[in-house]
Amino acid sequence: MATAELSVPRRRLARLDPRWGVPVVLAVWLLLWVVLRGHATLALDNAELTSVHLRLNRLNDAIGASRDSNPVFVYFLNDIRSAIDAFVTFIQHLISQPSADRPVPQIGWLGVVAIATTLAYGFGTWRVALLTAAGFVLFGLQGLWQESMDTLALTLATVLLTVLFGLPLGIWAGVNRRVDAVVTPVLDFMQTMPSYVYLAPLALFFLIGPASAVIATFIYAIPPIIRITAHGIRDVDESTVEAARAMGSTRWQILTRVQLPMAKRTIVVGLNQTIMAALSMVTIAALIAAPGVGQTIIRALTTLKVGVACNAGLAIVVMAIVLDRTTTAASQRARTHRTDRPGRTGRFWGRAWFDRRLAVLALTAVTIVCVYLSHTYVWAASFPATAPDLGGSIVSAVDSATDWVQLHLAGVTGAVKDVISYGLLNPLQAVLAEGPWYLTGSAVVLLSLLLGGRVAALVTAGCLGLIVALGVWYDAMFTLAATLVATVIVMLLGVVVGVWMARSAAADRVIRPVLDAGQTMPAFVYLVPFLGLFGASRLTAITAAVVYAAPAAIKLVADAVRGVSHSAVEAATASGSTTWQVITKVQLPMARRGLALAANQGVIYVLAMVVVGGLVGAGALGYDVVAGFAQISLFGKGLAAGAAIVLLGVLLDRTARAAANRTGRAHH
């Protein structure tokens, strides 16, 4: 009898309808919040520490004291750090930093430009080669040659290590389903974590500097090449593999002569994504003393020098475009090489092929001469000081534009700031942070239960409990509020622009390249223009987060709406439905799962960017992390804040995924 009585509530719990359950939970939450506001908020001052933070500080001190005596450090971690530092230093001495016995690098600016141009033409086209040459010369004209080469050196070091370890693992996962099943959840978790949070733990064990920066970038950049390589190998036509097997080929021969050649274009796409991720992370890793342009951007952001930040940000954008265009061109050539087999069309091995090989040989000869000159003569080694000061002009122009905006558009920017702050951000922050922690936690868990199910609710409860234990609850709720507000704006943009792209091929052709270009830019760059518009404020971080996250959300919404059955749309149109009715009653409801996935990706992108906004006045967890790097006494709090960011990411990601799966099942 007792068993029967207990089973009824369980069945009822499973049948809770979010359509009425969510409003009920929100109403009860707000009612209790009005009564209990200001109690048990767990608020801390910026310099206030909990016992957990103090223990983490002591752990940091203990690790530092045992760095030269603990066997784990002496025989393992210190060797890794020394090896990576030596590797990075070697590349820096090659192209950016003076060598021990030379006042200039081994290869000066002229040689580097020549090498980059030749490689761009070898993998791409004349257009890509000219773009590369112009981009590298621009670094010098901006007054950022050495900083740019330091960034490039760190990126190259990381990409080489990523390819060395990631490519074999991706191949293994592509040919072995069991390996893929083990690797995929790990990659999902790595890509869910905001890039910011890798830094503090790695600095704890590897100190600040190039080694920690390379390892952090390695962790952040390796998932794309593993995942995309595995996908490319699995995507090879099974009949081709079976034919090779029937002819007596071994597994090694099938892999090297069939699967890898046919997956080459996809693998190069994975390399492209890895390079973009590495460049983005190397810039952020300037927080732990990684050399390069990132250092210039951080100093400019923290001192509110918008012109300097813009000049440095432009260098990062140019480097991203050059690397992206070169690897994209390599991918396209791989496809052409696979489909235009030599000798069959008479063109590939004809005059065009001969002329191209001759051009490559000529460029190689010129490059050898340029490298020799840059190694031998100072004028070819150090970028000429007499060159036009384009960087100074950019700084002056941006500072003047910023002053003009703040003088003449203060009313407009102030109105936007007030609408978002007083209309959305402040009320949500008050509800999340200024009520008792147990009330907020209970309400969020119930909402997660209604939207995502029991597993999502358990994950949410565990994450919130750990955030409380870490002593950063109040700041975490501020970060959560900013993340949710930015995500709402991202989804509004995603739905409006995504539906437009899905219904108009012309709009898709115009907008999609812009979105693709936006996704190649490192996160730091987005802060600069909005710093000029809104100054150092929460809105700067939120606006930058919206612009950073919108491309992924818009493309996912567009693809989801475009995937809706044409017969359903035509039936609705034939029955007399208006365009608005077709969109709201047919396309969006049938694309609900795609919309949920867009929201999931939007949340992850937004969280990463809102935290980076701690550099420009966003406060909360982002400020805690930055302060932890700047002040040794706040290291423990910064480490706890980084862990809280991970927990927020897991909470939001798992809830959004569960909601997407539920929506998909309900739809089917």
Side-chain angles (χ1 to χ4, degrees):
M1 193 69 181
T3 305
E5 290 174 356
L6 288 172
S7 64
V8 173
R10 288 177 183 170
R11 286 199 298 270
R12 288 178 180 169
L13 186 63
R15 295 173 187 169
L16 284 175
D17 189 344
R19 287 176 295 183
W20 64 263
V22 170
V24 168
V25 170
L26 291 175
V28 173
W29 182 9
L30 290 175
L31 181 62
L32 293 175
W33 177 83
V34 171
V35 176
L36 300 173
R37 182 178 183 180
H39 296 283
T41 61
L42 305 182
L44 296 175
D45 292 332
N46 287 338
E48 189 175 354
L49 303 177
T50 67
S51 59
V52 172
H53 306 155
L54 293 173
R55 282 198 292 271
L56 290 174
N57 281 343
R58 288 195 290 272
L59 174 64
N60 183 35
D61 295 338
I63 289 175
S66 63
R67 197 175 300 278
D68 296 326
S69 58
N70 190 302
V72 175
F73 283 96
V74 173
Y75 298 109
F76 184 60
L77 296 181
N78 289 350
D79 289 341
I80 293 176
R81 177 166 59 86
S82 298
I84 294 176
D85 279 339
F87 183 44
V88 173
T89 300
F90 169 76
I91 299 178
Q92 286 181 301
H93 285 168
L94 202 62
I95 63 173
S96 65
Q97 296 285 346
S99 300
D101 56 344
R102 290 169 54 86
V104 292
Q106 295 292 334
I107 302 175
W109 74 272
L110 186 64
V112 172
V113 172
I115 292 171
T117 304
T118 301
L119 290 175
Y121 180 70
F123 289 115
T125 63
W126 275 113
R127 291 181 180 179
V128 177
L130 291 174
L131 174 67
T132 300
F136 273 71
V137 171
L138 180 62
F139 300 148
L141 296 177
Q142 290 179 271
L144 295 171
W145 177 262
Q146 182 170 314
E147 292 88 344
S148 298
M149 291 305 100
D150 279 332
T151 297
L152 182 62
L154 280 176
T155 303
L156 289 176
T158 303
V159 170
L160 289 172
L161 292 175
T162 301
V163 171
L164 180 64
F165 291 95
L167 191 60
L169 188 55
I171 294 171
W172 193 15
V175 299
N176 190 314
R177 293 285 181 178
R178 292 182 179 178
V179 174
D180 185 64
V182 172
V183 168
T184 298
V186 178
L187 298 180
D188 289 340
F189 180 73
M190 291 169 67
Q191 291 189 301
T192 299
M193 292 174 64
S195 57
Y196 221 38
V197 302
Y198 295 127
L199 304 181
L202 290 171
L204 180 65
F205 290 100
F206 295 99
L207 300 176
I208 62 172
S212 294
V214 168
I215 296 171
T217 307
F218 175 86
I219 296 171
Y220 183 69
I222 200 171
I225 196 167
I226 296 175
R227 193 187 296 274
I228 296 175
T229 298
H231 170 74
I233 290 176
R234 285 196 304 270
D235 205 40
V236 172
D237 188 4
E238 188 62 31
S239 61
T240 305
V241 177
E242 289 297 331
R245 188 176 292 116
M247 294 175 64
S249 299
T250 64
R251 294 178 62 182
W252 177 254
Q253 289 172 328
I254 292 173
L255 175 64
T256 56
R257 298 181 182 179
V258 178
Q259 291 174 309
L260 285 178
M262 296 187 71
K264 183 165 70 171
R265 179 173 180 265
T266 305
I267 293 172
V268 176
V269 171
L271 178 62
N272 170 276
Q273 295 300 302
T274 289
I275 290 173
M276 293 298 101
L279 179 59
S280 177
M281 187 64 191
V282 160
T283 309
I284 295 174
L287 287 168
I288 52 175
V293 182
Q295 289 276 3
T296 305
I297 295 178
I298 287 177
R299 286 194 298 268
L301 290 176
T302 53
T303 56
L304 305 183
K305 294 181 179 178
V306 182
V308 176
C310 185
N311 185 48
L314 177 62
I316 292 292
V317 171
V318 170
M319 188 175 294
I321 291 173
V322 167
L323 294 175
D324 177 63
R325 290 298 90 200
T326 302
T327 50
T328 300
S331 172
Q332 292 169 348
R333 283 189 59 78
R335 177 178 60 186
T336 303
H337 180 71
R338 195 176 71 187
T339 55
D340 267 352
R341 294 310 299 173
R344 296 195 177 119
T345 64
R347 178 176 178 82
F348 189 81
W349 287 109
R351 185 182 180 91
W353 174 88
F354 179 77
D355 289 346
R356 180 174 178 82
R357 290 299 175 96
L358 192 61
V360 170
L361 289 174
L363 276 176
T364 302
V366 172
T367 299
I368 292 172
V369 173
C370 290
V371 169
Y372 170 77
L373 292 174
S374 68
H375 180 78
T376 307
Y377 298 100
V378 174
W379 64 267
S382 298
F383 200 86
T386 56
D389 184 15
L390 184 59
S393 301
I394 293 173
V395 171
S396 299
V398 171
D399 285 340
S400 298
T402 301
D403 293 339
W404 186 90
V405 167
Q406 293 175 352
L407 181 64
H408 295 87
L409 299 182
V412 176
T413 57
V416 173
K417 187 184 298 185
D418 290 343
V419 168
I420 295 179
S421 297
Y422 294 108
L424 293 173
L425 188 57
N426 290 350
L428 185 57
Q429 282 183 349
V431 171
L432 288 172
E434 295 180 13
W437 67 269
Y438 51 83
L439 173 63
T440 302
S442 300
V444 173
V445 170
L446 286 174
L447 291 174
S448 181
L449 175 65
L450 291 168
L451 296 173
R454 295 177 183 175
V455 174
L458 288 173
V459 172
T460 298
C463 291
L464 293 178
L466 289 172
I467 290 173
V468 172
L470 288 169
V472 289
W473 171 267
Y474 192 77
D475 287 351
M477 292 303 101
F478 265 65
T479 296
L480 179 59
T483 301
L484 293 176
V485 167
T487 302
V488 169
I489 300 173
V490 166
M491 287 308 299
L492 289 175
L493 283 174
V495 170
V496 172
V497 181
V499 170
W500 183 24
M501 290 172 60
R503 294 179 60 86
S504 171
D508 187 86
R509 284 195 299 271
V510 173
I511 296 173
R512 192 171 290 270
V514 176
L515 300 179
D516 292 339
Q519 288 189 294
T520 65
M521 291 193 292
F524 263 13
V525 175
Y526 290 96
L527 290 173
V528 177
F530 299 108
L531 180 64
L533 283 174
F534 301 112
S537 66
R538 297 172 300 172
L539 187 59
T540 298
I542 290 175
T543 312
V546 169
V547 177
Y548 180 61
I554 290 171
K555 289 198 288 187
L556 285 171
V557 171
D559 293 341
V561 173
R562 189 180 293 110
V564 171
S565 170
H566 291 291
S567 59
V569 176
E570 291 171 359
T573 304
S575 66
S577 299
T578 64
T579 300
W580 176 255
Q581 289 172 326
V582 170
I583 293 172
T584 57
K585 304 294 185 182
V586 179
Q587 289 180 306
L588 289 180
M590 294 184 72
R592 281 179 297 182
R593 188 168 187 179
L595 295 178
L597 291 174
N600 168 270
Q601 291 302 298
V603 163
I604 298 305
Y605 278 90
V606 164
L607 180 61
M609 193 64 196
V610 166
V611 173
V612 173
L615 287 168
V616 291
L621 295 179
Y623 172 83
D624 293 336
V625 173
V626 174
F629 291 129
Q631 302 178 49
I632 191 65
S633 62
L634 297 178
F635 180 85
K637 190 174 185 179
L639 195 61
I645 293 167
V646 176
L647 293 169
L648 282 180
V650 171
L651 182 157
L652 294 169
D653 176 66
R654 295 309 165 195
T655 301
R657 285 176 184 268
N661 292 334
R662 271 196 161 192
T663 302
R665 288 195 298 269
H667 174 66
H668 291 297

